[in-house]
Amino acid sequence: MKFRKAAVFLLLPALLLSGCTQELPDEGGAPLPGDLAALSSQKEEPSAALPETFSLPYDSGAALDPVTCPDGAQQTLGALLYEGLFQLDEELEPQYRLCTDASYDPEAMTWTLQLREGVTFSDGSSLTASDVAATLNRARTAPRYQARLACVQSVRAAKGTVVITLNRPNTGFTALLDIPIVKAGTENNSVPTGTGPYTLVSDSGNFYLVPNSSWWGSGKLPADRIELVPCTGSDALRYQFTSHAVQLITADLTDSEPLSAAGSFSSTDADTTVLQYIGFNVQRELLSDPAVRRALSLGVDRSTVADVYLSGHAVAAQFPVSPVSALYPAELETGYSYNAFEDAMTDVGLNTGETTRELTLLVNDDNSFKVSIARYLASSLSVFDLKFTVETLPWEDYLTALAAGNYDLYFAEVRLTADWDLTALIGTGGQLNYSGWSDPAMDEILSACAASQNQAASMRALCARLFSQAPILPVCFKRTSVLTQTGVAEGLSPTAADPFYNLEGITLHLA
């Protein structure tokens, strides 16, 4: 998805280019969706003059270890310096990168990964299994990756292979292995050594990237030199981008901290695993009935949320797996229909016109996009015998209310892992299963999904059960955006973790 704007608000720099841990992320304020939608329709202004060099932001005061460095410019830059065993493609499917084969022993719950031959680090030394094992073992205790690697019991190096033993079955485990690998022993350097297509050079206080002469790839890179512009903090990032000192940044355009900025730019979106959904307190008498929850699901117009309230920076989803994934069971979808909603509410006795049942929809008040969506959903569902009131709370109070069960429904956001393990969200005792919903049949399906060799069939069974029981109502999956100075970059096809995905297909237009 691409669009251009002039004299607009940029929402920076709440990035999604980070490790995918299954948790509710911090949230913050944002302009009303209507404001963003109006700005999106403004008339284009002429593009700024093309720059003589292509430049990226760089925080020279922060480490570049991709396992531990913060979100922001460092993660964007790291996509050019480091590579993982696998790389998630535009459909969130794992593709081989630093390994060429992966085999799974279900009885031993062991993955054996064959490393790609001929791969060297930027210093000319060969990539070894020990380097990979060292990075993965560090990642197991790093905040960015600890949750996603909780299923790992051990990682060990063998000759040309890495052997990973799990503590529970997971046939989709390779989707979690896009973790950037660095050379063992360099992780404490300001710039650890990687295998990526570029390497960082420091010359008299100036920083820039040059092609890695040891890179195993064979394609032509888009630039022989990429300048790095010192940039610390969101204000500096905004200034450097809008003044065209840097030509590319990544941002979540529906997140927090709106910053006023002028200029002409292009936006290319990438699909993510960030799910927005409605949760139920199934301990409430009315909401304990799956038929009532199913009826309410039919009253949610997901496309309006994604296209209007999130200005197209999301994709509607009826199930907790991204619609761009081959695992999404599109055949099970039921499109929004007011008549179907009315019939379902009649069937559960909530269309009598005689009584009004009041319910509260809880939402974090620090993100006005989420608040606006919650109000829209409450209005949409406040028909027939139900009336919904939106209650907004600060983040910490919101979490406290969820943990204590002080809500009827809540609107939330969660970053799922790319293996689509939903145990924390809907499994018995799951960390994010706030209302304590429990369904033995669903627990069996979750276990079967983790062990299945036919992931599509297993996901279909899971979604069919989820539709029947409706403990949560998925609404949409968010997209992140790569913003570029208009006319500079052609052929961008970013992914959630890599703004430079398909790097060799990118063309840069410079003066």
Side-chain angles (χ1 to χ4, degrees), residues 8-69:
V8 299
F9 286 95
L10 297 184
L11 311 181
L12 306 176
L15 309 185
L16 290 175
L17 301 180
S18 63
C20 299
T21 57
Q22 201 165 41
E23 61 186 7
L24 288 172
D26 291 339
E27 304 171 354
L32 292 176
D35 297 339
L36 184 59
L39 290 167
S40 298
S41 63
Q42 289 185 359
K43 182 179 179 180
E44 286 187 22
E45 292 186 354
S47 301
L50 292 176
E52 294 183 0
T53 61
F54 183 73
S55 303
L56 295 173
Y58 170 50
D59 186 352
S60 59
L64 253 173
D65 175 22
V67 174
T68 60
C69 75

Side-chain angles (χ1 to χ4, degrees), residues 223-238:
D224 292 331
R225 176 168 170 147
I226 298 175
E227 302 294 335
L228 301 182
V229 177
C231 184
T232 302
S234 58
D235 287 343
L237 185 64
R238 169 190 55 81

Side-chain angles (χ1 to χ4, degrees), residues 96-297:
Y96 289 114
R97 197 65 182 169
L98 294 183
C99 76
T100 56
D101 187 62
S103 59
Y104 180 58
D105 181 346
E107 293 187 2
M109 293 188 295
T110 296
W111 280 92
T112 301
L113 310 170
Q114 182 69 46
L115 297 188
R116 183 181 297 275
E117 296 182 357
V119 175
T120 59
F121 289 101
S122 59
D123 64 359
S125 61
S126 297
L127 171 73
T128 69
S130 295
D131 294 310
V132 175
T135 294
L136 295 182
N137 278 319
R138 280 199 308 122
R140 292 173 61 194
T141 60
R144 179 180 298 279
Y145 297 114
Q146 185 175 20
R148 79 154 80 173
L149 295 181
C151 62
V152 174
Q153 179 173 305
S154 67
V155 181
R156 63 181 178 86
K159 186 177 181 180
T161 63
V162 176
V163 180
I164 303 177
T165 302
L166 307 181
N167 53 38
R168 58 180 183 267
N170 189 345
T171 55
F173 180 68
T174 55
L176 308 181
L177 293 178
D178 61 338
I179 299 168
I181 304 300
V182 305
K183 182 176 179 178
T186 71
E187 58 271 8
N188 293 323
N189 296 349
S190 58
V191 184
T193 305
T195 65
Y198 284 90
T199 185
L200 190 148
V201 175
S202 174
D203 181 12
S204 301
N206 296 319
F207 301 92
Y208 55 93
L209 302 183
V210 296
N212 174 8
S213 60
S214 298
W215 189 47
W216 58 273
S218 58
K220 178 176 173 54
L221 299 180
D224 292 331
R225 176 168 170 147
I226 298 175
E227 302 294 335
L228 301 182
V229 177
C231 184
T232 302
S234 58
D235 287 343
L237 185 64
R238 169 190 55 81
Y239 175 77
Q240 299 289 12
F241 181 65
T242 58
S243 65
H244 303 306
V246 299
Q247 283 71 52
L248 182 148
I249 59 174
T250 55
D252 177 356
L253 293 177
T254 61
D255 205 87
S256 59
E257 300 180 15
L259 297 175
S260 178
S264 177
F265 67 92
S266 299
S267 171
T268 306
D269 282 0
D271 289 283
T272 76
T273 61
V274 177
L275 170 70
Q276 291 192 341
Y277 67 101
I278 297 173
F280 292 107
N281 187 345
V282 299
Q283 305 306 320
R284 299 285 198 256
E285 181 180 358
L286 176 64
L287 300 175
S288 66
D289 185 353
V292 171
R293 302 195 297 263
R294 285 198 304 273
L296 291 175
S297 177

Side-chain angles (χ1 to χ4, degrees), residues 54 220-223 487-492 502-510:
F54 183 73
K220 178 176 173 54
L221 299 180
V488 170
E490 179 183 350
L492 284 176
N502 189 29
L503 177 67
E504 293 134 295
I506 296 174
T507 300
L508 297 179
H509 300 286
L510 303 173

